[in-house]
Amino acid sequence: MLPPSVQTVTAMADITKGTKRLSGEAEGSQDSKRVKTNGDKMDAKNPYLAHLEEKPEADFESLLDKLERRNTTAKQAEAVEDSDINPWTGQRHSERYFKILEARRKLPVNKQRQEFLDLYHNNQILVFVGETGSGKTTQIPQYVLYDELPHQTGKLIACTQPRRVAAMSVAQRVADELDVKLGEEVGYSIRFENKTSSKTLLKYMTDGQLLREAMHDRDMSRYSCIILDEAHERTLATDILMALLKQLSERRKDLKIIVMSATLDAQKFQSYFFNAPLLAVPGRTHPVEIFYTPEAERDYVEAAIRTVLQIHACEPEGDILLFLTGEEEIEDACRRISLEVDEMIRESDAGPMSVYPLYGTLPPHQQQRIFEKAPQPFRPGGRPGRKCIVATNIAETSLTIDGIVYVVDPGFSKQKIYNPRTRVESLLVSPISKASAQQRAGRAGRTRPGKCFRLYTEEAFKKELIEQTYPEILRSNLSNTVLELKKLGVEDLVHFDLMDPPAPETMMRALEELNYLACLDDDGELTPLGNLASEFPLDPALAVMLISSPEFYCSNEILSITSLLSVPQIWVRPANARKRADEMKAQFAHPDGDHLTLLNAYHAYKGAEARGEDMKKWCHEHFLSYRHLSSADNVRAQLKKIMETHGIELVSTPFHDKNYYTNIRRALLAGFFMQVAMRESSNSKVYKTVKDEQLVLIHPSTTVTTPYEWVVYNEFVLTTKQYVRTVTNIRPEWLLVSFHYLLRIAYRE
């Protein structure tokens, strides 16, 4: 038997459900009934619909005016492209434009431009398979652009990407190819960043961003053509978009849909989209020689670094692409490779090597460094210089880096795994699929014959790797997804036509969680709170915490904490200075827990900024990540805009008030009351989660020194043991108060 206190709190969620029913039944008046929202209203101030401004009329004669929409030929479009005058801006084309145009015409996809246009004209939905290097991501949207003529209709062309870095880099490339300024005729939109204007005709965006736009414009009425690129990656957002677009195609016969994939798993896409026609384009690839290890490697990172150095010492010129699993691993490998190469230069006259990291959270300007040229030899005729890019699976399909001749593939990637029974979502290092291994190898044969070094045995490749990576929808917490679908007007979630439906248990867990958070009522309908929470590009628990925070007089502080929880860890702990890093972190430590420690660090950062200090230097000295703190600052500004748009007050308790930190701790519970744990016994380090009775330890990274009886935690981490991370001390009686406030907010008009 659990102690009475635990029994009380575990029952609370059910009690609140009962409370909701009783209050509605008892009052019985019309006014007391729950409000069911339709979510159809468009908000003119909505940041996701910034492109809805009126398009300015072109004030010059364009060759495009002679073309007939959805009836152009490849020959007509090429004649316009060959003109000295840019048809989109009225300015003269630059010399660079014609150089790029020459290279574009050599891409494999160009040979099938007319074939593509014929299929596009005669079908509403088209499945396009283009191997890596075929040019599909940059060229197909442009072929559509010259056919749709969006400057005449006012309707945009959207092209989705699974990753932010791909959306930004491809938009920049296409802007260069069209000889226009990025953000004008060609733009991009990603979470917390919008680089479009009223001139934008072609818009690259993450799949999640298009999904958020669909919440406010269910018919996607501003688009004449939607292109889903890299559909084979099967991200959560892409799967939902495919289901929505399938439905939408019945309502909007004028909307064209192109589904693009890099692998030949196209039959599945075809049959899903009403047996849509298929166009396949071969990639521009050279043969790639595959090497396997004779036996399994014990430490894949060590083996990978050794392989890179061996290539540099022995192989002819050509750049190297090494795949690793995460930011920390990549940064460590970059540092070690650079040190070893310096030693090789001194001892054995090796050539120079530039080492660049590449992962999703890297800032755009640093991501662009991967396209820099390899360093020149130290002397004419000397050993060749080369660059080595150490990347996550982001470099598998989304980006094309010319010059790569050698690929080192350890055979692992980080994958999201969700267990609906324990409600634990973990990023685990897992073996890749055969399809991913083939994609990685293909990166080596872009410019000339290449080599791929697989750091696993041939037998493991044939017998142990699965054929395809499981779609993200089958291994994710669906709370956010269900909230989005409800906002999108999907009533029957069970029969919603997904390509791979998730397990019913996962869906039930999501509905249960949203009901506990008071985002859905007992009939499964959106509450006013749920409607408001869906406006934030956040996990529902974070959104609810943010919306509830004015009730606790600390919305400014909760806004800062939410922003810090939405970016990677701000603490830097290098292997060679761990003791010093821990000492610096202790300066910001708050005795009541990690959320408050994060807030202290952020306040110190903003204080240093206000004093005009060199922030990069200040962050370096305090072992804080300047990049992640800047990112948190940006996120905060975006969330603040959304709060102001919806009239959520920004208030604070005076700092010298004894309740300053207490109010913040209470506000945390408004969103995270299901993520509470209590200590097993007074002398134990083991905690039991209240909701699911999981035995856990507090993660060693915590600033908490005194064991607390009750804690609220931000995440459940599964490594060698079960840990809760980012924890703060709470009092159990606050849970009841948080529920009271939550219910009050949930059904408020």
Side-chain angles (χ1 to χ4, degrees):
M1 277 294 283
L2 292 170
S5 55
V6 180
Q7 289 178 36
T8 305
V9 180
T10 46
M12 271 181 198
D14 294 324
I15 291 168
T16 56
K17 289 171 78 173
T19 308
K20 283 186 270 182
R21 283 193 191 95
L22 288 168
S23 61
E25 288 163 6
E27 290 175 40
S29 68
Q30 192 64 34
D31 293 335
S32 70
K33 288 181 182 175
R34 296 182 192 95
V35 178
K36 296 184 179 181
T37 56
N38 59 18
D40 282 334
K41 291 177 185 174
M42 271 198 189
D43 189 343
K45 292 182 181 175
N46 195 294
Y48 301 107
L49 298 178
H51 60 278
L52 294 187
E53 300 165 41
E54 287 295 310
K55 303 272 181 257
E57 292 291 317
D59 55 358
F60 62 93
E61 277 191 34
S62 171
L63 289 171
L64 296 166
D65 299 338
K66 295 173 183 173
L67 301 183
E68 187 185 345
R69 181 174 177 250
R70 293 186 175 174
N71 198 26
T72 60
T73 63
K75 200 171 177 181
Q76 287 171 330
E78 284 176 2
V80 176
E81 287 174 343
D82 291 336
S83 162
D84 287 337
I85 303 296
N86 190 325
W88 306 107
T89 64
Q91 306 294 316
R92 289 194 74 82
H93 276 135
S94 63
E95 281 183 37
R96 185 177 177 226
Y97 166 81
F98 289 106
K99 282 181 186 170
I100 296 174
L101 185 62
E102 193 181 342
R104 284 173 58 199
R105 295 273 167 87
K106 291 175 183 171
L107 288 166
V109 71
N110 191 62
K111 295 186 182 100
Q112 289 171 267
R113 185 170 187 170
Q114 188 58 53
E115 191 182 348
F116 164 76
L117 286 169
D118 292 341
L119 282 171
Y120 183 77
H121 294 154
N122 297 320
N123 298 279
Q124 187 184 6
I125 305 174
L126 174 63
V127 178
F128 187 98
V129 175
E131 290 175 26
T132 301
S134 62
K136 66 180 186 306
T137 303
T138 54
Q139 302 311 298
I140 292 295
Q142 292 184 69
Y143 297 169
V144 172
L145 190 66
Y146 279 91
D147 191 54
E148 285 289 340
L149 309 174
H151 63 297
Q152 296 176 3
T153 61
K155 290 188 185 288
L156 287 74
I157 296 154
C159 181
T160 69
Q161 297 291 324
R163 295 186 175 88
R164 294 155 54 104
V165 57
M168 290 186 292
S169 63
V170 174
Q172 181 63 69
R173 174 68 191 175
V174 171
D176 291 345
E177 289 185 2
L178 287 171
D179 212 10
V180 299
K181 192 176 172 186
L182 180 66
E184 294 190 355
E185 285 77 10
V186 179
Y188 67 80
S189 177
I190 60 176
R191 192 170 91 137
F192 301 127
E193 193 176 337
N194 180 36
K195 202 167 180 68
T196 61
S197 67
S198 58
K199 291 183 180 177
T200 301
L201 307 170
L202 171 58
K203 185 172 169 185
Y204 284 88
M205 55 184 34
T206 52
D207 40 19
Q209 202 65 15
L210 183 58
L211 200 53
R212 297 208 69 81
E213 282 190 19
M215 289 182 187
H216 301 277
D217 179 11
R218 289 180 189 170
D219 287 338
M220 302 195 197
S221 58
R222 303 303 299 179
Y223 298 103
S224 61
C225 175
I226 293 173
I227 304 166
L228 296 182
D229 196 9
E230 311 289 3
H232 61 277
E233 291 209 14
R234 302 289 308 278
T235 64
L236 198 55
T238 292
D239 269 22
I240 295 164
L241 275 174
M242 284 196 291
L244 287 173
L245 289 172
K246 187 177 177 180
Q247 284 184 353
L248 185 55
S249 65
E250 302 277 24
R251 297 200 306 274
R252 272 194 66 193
K253 293 294 183 187
D254 64 314
L255 177 69
K256 298 273 189 180
I257 299 163
I258 303 172
V259 181
M260 299 205 294
S261 169
T263 57
L264 275 165
D265 188 25
Q267 286 180 337
K268 192 169 184 176
F269 292 112
Q270 277 183 281
S271 58
Y272 181 72
F273 284 107
F274 316 109
N275 294 317
L278 170 72
L279 180 62
V281 175
R284 186 178 58 189
T285 54
H286 298 269
V288 176
E289 201 174 349
I290 308 281
F291 299 91
Y292 294 92
T293 56
E295 55 189 46
E297 297 286 348
R298 293 182 66 176
D299 183 341
Y300 68 85
V301 177
E302 191 63 47
I305 292 169
R306 199 170 61 240
T307 308
V308 166
L309 296 171
Q310 208 167 342
I311 293 168
H312 189 52
C314 307
E315 294 286 345
E317 73 176 312
D319 299 334
I320 305 168
L321 174 59
L322 162 61
F323 287 97
L324 288 177
T325 65
E327 179 181 336
E328 206 171 303
E329 204 172 75
I330 287 170
E331 291 287 2
D332 184 51
C334 287
R335 184 180 55 80
R336 287 172 62 187
I337 292 168
S338 296
L339 288 171
E340 292 280 355
V341 168
D342 288 346
E343 201 168 316
M344 285 167 69
I345 293 166
R346 284 195 303 273
E347 291 182 2
S348 58
D349 196 28
M353 184 194 279
S354 302
V355 187
Y356 302 118
L358 179 63
Y359 44 85
T361 54
L362 203 61
H365 67 276
Q366 283 185 262
Q367 286 171 352
Q368 294 306 313
R369 291 177 66 199
I370 63 171
F371 300 111
E372 290 175 9
K373 288 187 174 161
Q376 293 297 312
F378 288 124
R379 58 181 181 278
R383 302 282 291 277
R386 60 177 107 227
K387 66 183 177 190
C388 172
I389 295 157
V390 189
T392 59
N393 53 356
I394 197 170
E396 249 175 55
T397 55
S398 305
L399 289 172
T400 296
I401 310 158
D402 286 329
I404 300 293
V405 176
Y406 307 100
V407 167
V408 181
D409 173 19
F412 292 98
S413 69
K414 265 190 186 166
Q415 289 190 16
K416 196 187 297 176
I417 311 288
Y418 178 67
N419 182 340
R421 293 204 175 131
T422 58
R423 292 189 310 113
V424 177
E425 194 170 61
S426 314
L427 270 174
L428 297 179
V429 174
S430 316
I432 59 172
S433 63
K434 283 180 185 170
S436 284
Q438 300 289 27
Q439 286 286 351
R440 290 180 175 191
R443 292 290 170 188
R446 288 295 317 280
T447 48
R448 60 186 173 91
K451 294 180 180 180
C452 175
F453 298 86
R454 288 178 175 162
L455 307 183
Y456 42 93
T457 63
E458 191 169 4
E459 191 180 15
F461 173 78
K462 288 175 178 171
K463 294 182 180 176
E464 293 175 25
L465 298 191
I466 56 172
E467 289 296 327
Q468 291 280 352
T469 310
Y470 292 117
E472 195 180 355
I473 200 162
L474 302 180
R475 42 189 180 85
S476 296
N477 179 355
L478 297 182
S479 298
N480 204 21
T481 305
V482 168
L483 190 61
E484 285 176 343
L485 289 173
K486 282 289 179 185
K487 180 75 174 181
L488 287 159
V490 177
E491 294 298 328
D492 188 357
L493 293 170
V494 175
H495 296 103
F496 185 54
D497 189 9
L498 289 160
M499 192 180 273
D500 288 286
E505 189 177 6
T506 311
M507 195 66 87
M508 289 308 296
R509 277 290 199 185
L511 287 164
E512 179 191 57
E513 188 176 324
L514 290 169
N515 184 232
Y516 288 155
L517 285 167
C519 290
L520 298 180
D521 65 19
D522 297 330
D523 301 323
E525 300 289 338
L526 269 182
T527 63
L529 175 62
N531 198 35
L532 189 51
S534 69
E535 297 289 336
F536 291 85
L538 295 168
D539 182 79
L542 279 172
V544 166
M545 177 176 81
L546 198 52
I547 295 162
S548 314
S549 58
E551 300 282 340
F552 301 92
Y553 306 101
C554 58
S555 50
N556 276 310
E557 288 74 16
I558 291 294
L559 175 58
S560 299
I561 290 170
T562 303
S563 309
L564 292 159
L565 294 175
S566 303
V567 299
Q569 279 286 344
I570 64 168
W571 312 109
V572 176
R573 197 167 180 258
N576 57 350
R578 282 180 180 164
K579 188 169 181 289
R580 182 72 183 131
D582 292 344
E583 286 168 2
M584 292 307 290
K585 187 177 177 180
Q587 289 187 11
F588 304 113
H590 191 283
D592 280 323
D594 297 324
H595 295 88
L596 306 181
T597 301
L598 280 171
L599 186 64
N600 285 349
Y602 182 71
H603 283 166
Y605 167 79
K606 294 303 287 182
E609 192 177 62
R611 292 192 301 274
E613 294 197 32
D614 180 339
M615 293 314 298
K616 284 187 178 175
K617 187 182 172 191
W618 185 89
C619 287
H620 182 74
E621 286 170 356
H622 290 82
F623 290 87
L624 290 165
S625 169
Y626 173 71
R627 188 167 70 241
H628 296 162
L629 278 164
S630 308
S631 180
D633 232 7
N634 183 28
V635 170
R636 192 184 191 282
Q638 299 290 332
L639 293 175
K640 187 182 173 192
K641 274 185 196 168
I642 301 172
M643 288 174 79
E644 287 168 346
T645 302
H646 295 282
I648 300 167
E649 282 185 292
L650 286 156
V651 290
S652 292
T653 303
F655 184 70
H656 297 294
D657 191 308
K658 64 177 184 188
N659 290 321
Y660 178 79
Y661 286 113
T662 302
N663 287 350
I664 296 169
R665 286 154 62 201
R666 288 168 64 196
L668 291 172
L669 283 176
F672 290 92
F673 56 84
M674 285 184 285
Q675 292 182 201
V676 169
M678 73 164 290
R679 201 149 57 125
E680 278 270 82
S681 62
S682 56
N683 58 355
S684 172
K685 288 187 178 179
V686 178
Y687 285 74
K688 182 179 277 185
T689 63
V690 168
K691 179 79 173 66
D692 298 300
E693 297 187 5
Q694 295 284 309
L695 294 178
V696 295
L697 294 166
I698 290 178
H699 197 271
S701 64
T702 187
T703 53
V704 172
T705 49
T706 313
Y708 299 127
E709 293 305 311
W710 291 78
V711 294
V712 60
Y713 58 90
N714 183 56
E715 56 184 326
F716 192 127
V717 187
L718 198 61
T719 52
T720 49
K721 296 172 182 162
Q722 294 196 141
Y723 288 110
V724 289
R725 189 159 63 189
T726 317
V727 299
T728 290
N729 171 32
I730 59 145
R731 293 182 199 156
E733 59 268 26
W734 292 347
L735 286 160
L736 290 165
V737 180
S738 294
F739 280 128
H740 168 74
Y741 279 124
L742 193 60
L743 291 176
R744 202 168 83 184
I745 296 160
Y747 297 98
R748 190 164 63 196
E749 287 272 6

